[in-house]
Amino acid sequence: MRNVTVAATQMACSDQPGENIAQVERLIREAARQGAQIILIQELFETPYFCQDQIYEFLKLAVPLEENPAVKRCVELAR
């Protein structure tokens, strides 16, 4: 039987997506450095959590998957 180390991250998010993506990268790299092979990041980490209410202004945050900067960065990290 093989042992697998799992890490879960949690962080406060600002309204600056680039800063949040950089923070997630730091958390992922630290978890990997400590031996994690599966790393879970929180949902909607690019901006403050906005799903408590339906505010249509937030729909502009949606971008196609292949254009999403967070997805691009995490794909590179996963490699």
Side-chain angles (χ1 to χ4, degrees), residues 31-42:
R33 188 187 67 70
Q34 293 185 32
Q37 296 139 317
I38 298 173
I39 303 167
L40 308 169
I41 55 178
Q42 68 200 49

Side-chain angles (χ1 to χ4, degrees), residues 14-72:
S14 73
D15 61 354
Q16 299 297 313
E19 291 174 12
N20 296 327
I21 293 169
Q23 177 65 11
V24 160
E25 181 173 351
R26 284 189 290 276
L27 292 171
I28 290 170
R29 289 185 183 281
E30 178 61 21
R33 188 187 67 70
Q34 293 185 32
Q37 296 139 317
I38 298 173
I39 303 167
L40 308 169
I41 55 178
Q42 68 200 49
E43 62 183 347
L44 301 173
F45 65 85
E46 293 175 83
T47 60
Y49 192 80
F50 58 85
C51 293
Q52 290 102 353
D53 300 307
Q54 276 193 346
I55 301 173
Y56 293 100
E57 177 185 340
F58 290 132
L59 293 176
K60 67 183 178 190
L61 297 172
V63 295
L65 189 64
E66 52 280 340
E67 295 174 21
N68 185 295
V71 171
K72 288 179 180 180

